[in-house]
Amino acid sequence: MIITMKQGAKPKDIAIVAEKIKGLGYKPHISKGKDVTIIGMIGDYAEKYKDAFESMEVVEHVSEIQKPYKLASREFKKENTIVKVSRNVEIGGEKIHVIAGPCAIETKEQMFTTAKIVKDAGATIIRGGAYKPRSSPYAFQGLGEKGLKYLNESGSKLHMPTISEAMTVEQVGLVAKYCDIVQIGARNIQNYDLLKAAGKQTKPVLLKRGMATTIKELLLSAEYVLSQGNYNVILCERGIRTFETATRFTMDLNAIPVIKKLSHLPVVLDPSHGIGIREHVGTMAKACIAVGADGLIIEVHPQPELALSDGPQSLLPDQFKTLMKELDLVAKAVGRELLY
Ligand code: PEP
Ligand code: MN
């Protein structure tokens, strides 16, 4: 249930309510809005304490959250969540951030070269996979920690935040050590131990929708991270699997307005994986912005024909540069900013 504090409630009033929640064996989830503070008390039978909180002088009212996901829902928090990634990168505000880089980190040179290319074109976050979830066990599996170091070094050199995927509970700590955002991939969205581990650390988490995951399941997976106390969750639509075989996946653009109605969390879209065809990535990237994306993930490789992962969907440097300018125009048309 949600406990809405009276307007102007003081930190000590909030602390009293939070302590009472803890005393009953629940975890308080505090969200400070512009005018009011709300406190989530979530767990089995929390509702039976409704009257006990409603009768407190500092409490305005108490309501129940109807949705199965609680902290992720708009019922819990009306304003959009803005996730602070670094000093000057925030996802969920007016500016649309483009996350770009190679699918996999292959060599130090490839990582540094690509990072510079995407920065010069206007990307604000660098991506690169060090642990790769490959369909085939014989395909390149990633450079592991060495790759994370290359990504981290390129981010430091260019003053840009970075993102990389963690596939296991152990990798969460490593990715969080070297990167600014921990990515949970489509194949792991229902790995609940992994979600809990991501929720127990403090770096923002980008959660990719699974290829066979409903919107409700996506939000329930986000709830796993949020319920551990990490409220910096970014959702990501990257295409779902349908009967269509002409594209790699089917980009579910329908999901964006629906998710935004149901949840306050920012949504990033990944047209590279969504369509999987270089020639069409740009078109879909524009559509993603039109439909309300707070950010994009775009794979770029200096020599896609030599890429060890996802070469066919990776943009060439010049294509990316041209696309960024086009995306800026679409962003302006929908009242957002993209390039500085
Ligand atoms: C990736 O970002 O390279 C990736 C593997 O994405 P997904 O989990 O969406 O397939
Ligand atoms: Mn990829």
Side-chain angles (χ1 to χ4, degrees), residues 4-15:
T4 304
M5 301 293 291
K6 283 214 170 110
Q7 209 161 349
K10 305 225 162 30
K12 81 167 183 352
D13 302 331
I14 296 165

Side-chain angles (χ1 to χ4, degrees), residues 13 42-43 47 74 82 84 98 125 146 201 214 222 233 235 247 273 275 307 320 336:
D13 302 331
I42 290 147
E47 285 73 21
R74 278 267 180 215
I82 297 180
K84 195 167 174 60
V98 176
I125 302 171
K146 191 164 69 169
Q201 55 84 51
T214 63
V233 175
L235 303 172
T247 53
H273 290 88
I275 193 155
F320 182 65
R336 309 280 296 260

Side-chain angles (χ1 to χ4, degrees), residues 181-255:
I181 307 176
V182 178
Q183 176 174 324
I184 305 287
R187 290 154 190 84
N188 270 311
I189 186 158
Q190 289 177 316
N191 180 339
Y192 301 116
D193 284 343
L194 182 61
L195 296 173
K196 282 188 210 162
K200 286 198 174 96
Q201 55 84 51
T202 54
K203 291 277 172 81
V205 175
L206 182 134
L207 190 57
K208 288 188 130 187
R209 181 181 179 186
M211 54 195 90
T213 310
T214 63
I215 291 169
K216 182 170 152 189
E217 287 164 340
L218 167 68
L219 294 172
L220 280 167
S221 288
E223 189 78 13
Y224 265 92
V225 181
L226 298 165
S227 64
Q228 299 301 314
N230 186 346
Y231 306 122
N232 293 310
V233 175
I234 304 156
L235 303 172
C236 177
E237 167 61 48
R238 45 77 75 208
I240 53 174
R241 185 152 275 172
T242 65
F243 51 79
E244 185 55 71
T245 54
T247 53
R248 187 174 180 197
F249 294 98
T250 296
M251 194 64 177
D252 185 11
L253 295 180
N254 286 345

Side-chain angles (χ1 to χ4, degrees), residues 102-104 127 132-134 165 183 208 248 270 272-273 299 309-311 313-314:
C103 178
R127 65 152 287 149
K132 294 306 304 172
R134 305 305 298 276
E165 175 171 352
Q183 176 174 324
K208 288 188 130 187
R248 187 174 180 197
D270 177 347
S272 298
H273 290 88
E299 289 186 339
S309 177
D310 286 349
Q313 69 194 32
S314 300

